[in-house]
Structures are given as structure tokens and as C-alpha cells.
């Protein structure tokens, strides 16, 4: 982010191919999207047909690198059980963030 190669865009309302439609309505062209949770998680922006591992909780199905199994370039950090049972907790995010960061830039 310091170099300008990445930026925080704020809440996303929808993801459509290479566009992220922001909550304030402005579409932004994207190469990759990292969804990092806060205290609670929700996926109202999830692309249609996104693979999930738990439909009732809408948990995204991800690879070991945090990337969506069905949508290349879409990464998740801090979601329950994304890479293990501790993923939603600070210790899990601290462990997972480096792996997701490497995946995003490679």
C-alpha cells in the first residue's frame, strides 16, 4: 500500500468479474480483491456461484493460500475455518496474513 500498488477501497457492495462496486456506488476496476473481516463477517457482495464450504454460514471455500476455489483473484482473511480453526481470531489472522499476502502478489 505504501508503494501505491494496493489500496483500501472500503465496503464492497458487489463483485462482478474485474469490477468491485463500492458501497458508495462507484465501480472500481480490480485485479485482485482481499476480503479481510472485522468483528463480524458477511458476504453480501459475493459473486454468484461462489464456492462455499458451509452454505448455512456462507463460508467461502478457499485454497491453502486463502484464494477462492471458484473465483481467481478473490482472497479471504479472517473468515472462520478458512485455513484452520483459529482463522477468525487474531492469532489465526497473524498466522494467515503472510501466506495470503504472498499469494496476492505472486
Amino acid at each position: 500500500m505504501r508503494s501505491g500498488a494496493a489500496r483500501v477501497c472500503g465496503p464492497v457492495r458487489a463483485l462482478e468479474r474485474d469490477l468491485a462496486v463500492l458501497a458508495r456506488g462507484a465501480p472500481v476496476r480490480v485485479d485482485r480483491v482481499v476480503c479481510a473481516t472485522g468483528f463480524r463477517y458477511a458476504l453480501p457482495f459475493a459473486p454468484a456461484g461462489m464456492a462455499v464450504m458451509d452454505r448455512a454460514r456462507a463460508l467461502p471455500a478457499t485454497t491453502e493460500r486463502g484464494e477462492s476455489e471458484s473465483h481467481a483473484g478473490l482472497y479471504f482473511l479472517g473468515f472462520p475455518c478458512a485455513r484452520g480453526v483459529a482463522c477468525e481470531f487474531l492469532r489465526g489472522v497473524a498466522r494467515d496474513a503472510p501466506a495470503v499476502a504472498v499469494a496476492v502478489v505472486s
Side-chain angles (χ1 to χ4, degrees):
M1 288 186 345
R2 286 185 197 124
S3 71
R7 65 185 171 131
V8 175
C9 292
V12 174
R13 188 176 68 208
L15 291 172
E16 302 167 6
R17 296 187 189 176
D18 65 342
L19 287 178
V21 180
L22 303 181
R24 62 181 181 259
V28 175
R29 198 158 299 283
V30 295
D31 295 318
R32 294 172 186 87
V33 173
V34 179
C35 301
T37 67
F39 182 69
R40 297 184 186 133
Y41 75 93
L43 297 172
F45 56 83
M50 185 181 77
V52 294
M53 67 175 164
D54 181 340
R55 289 209 186 284
R57 294 172 46 196
L59 296 177
T62 60
T63 67
E64 278 296 311
R65 296 164 38 118
E67 188 171 17
S68 168
E69 289 183 356
S70 59
H71 289 75
L74 178 57
Y75 297 85
F76 295 92
L77 183 62
F79 282 74
C81 301
R83 293 175 34 99
V85 295
C87 290
E88 64 188 299
F89 304 108
L90 289 177
R91 69 179 182 276
V93 171
R95 183 199 68 211
D96 295 346
V100 173
V102 166
V104 168
V105 297
S106 59

